[in-house]
Amino acid sequence: MKKLILVSLAVVLSMTAFSQTSGFGIGAILGTTADFSMKLWTSETTAFDAAVGLDLGTYGGFHTNADFLFHLWSFDVAQDMMKIYFGPGIGMSVYSGYVNNVSIYPRAPGGVGYYFHSIPLEAFAEIAPAMDLIGPWDLHFRWSSYIGARWYF
């Protein structure tokens, strides 16, 4: 009986988030890094997102970032919706094999999210230019690219 109540509650909560302009989503990102991802909508056009995971680049290590995103352009695709987004963020990487192995950098992610009408799912592709301010390379420009998906509750 408890399981039935929990499943029913999860379905009801998920139904309110089908628009993906509200609620909380969790998922995964693959690309330059392999991350666990979270997104929290603060309005119909703004959201916080964060990721934590493994840096798959040349030097390996741990990666985390947090961004504030603006979703200013949206397009209807059949019953689904596509939104273009951008915003400021900050990231940190910890590399293995370096004496000064911590890198901290501002980043500027931008991308496109595809929001399904019938299920509370967002699929997205993103690029994020960044500039290492602290780290083994002093000032160092970098690009990150990702694809991912989040399920909303």
Side-chain angles (χ1 to χ4, degrees):
M1 183 63 166
K2 287 181 184 179
K3 288 182 183 180
L4 179 62
I5 292 171
L6 288 174
V7 169
S8 299
L9 182 61
V11 169
V12 169
L13 290 175
S14 294
M15 290 174 70
T16 63
F18 281 169
S19 67
Q20 281 84 36
T21 57
S22 65
F24 177 72
I26 59 172
I29 300 173
L30 293 175
T32 311
T33 61
D35 296 340
F36 170 74
S37 173
M38 300 158 281
K39 187 172 188 177
L40 176 65
W41 286 90
T42 57
S43 75
E44 286 191 18
T45 58
T46 59
F48 284 105
D49 82 347
V52 61
L54 299 174
D55 191 330
L56 301 176
T58 305
Y59 306 105
F62 167 81
H63 161 84
T64 187
N65 67 268
D67 309 312
F68 185 73
L69 303 175
F70 299 93
H71 301 75
L72 299 182
W73 301 281
S74 62
F75 308 94
D76 291 333
V77 180
Q79 291 184 341
D80 301 333
M81 185 184 344
M82 228 169 37
K83 290 188 173 204
I84 297 173
Y85 64 87
F86 66 95
I90 189 162
M92 181 182 81
S93 293
V94 179
Y95 302 105
S96 54
Y98 282 93
V99 174
N100 179 13
N101 64 350
V102 175
S103 179
I104 298 174
Y105 44 89
R107 45 185 263 125
V112 60
Y114 191 89
Y115 303 88
F116 296 88
H117 171 73
S118 58
I119 56 174
L121 181 70
E122 169 194 9
F124 62 93
E126 178 179 294
I127 59 170
M131 176 68 75
D132 287 341
L133 297 180
I134 299 170
W137 301 282
D138 296 322
L139 289 178
H140 177 258
F141 182 76
R142 66 165 77 199
W143 280 95
S144 300
S145 56
Y146 310 97
I147 58 169
R150 294 184 194 99
W151 187 266
Y152 283 84
F153 298 94

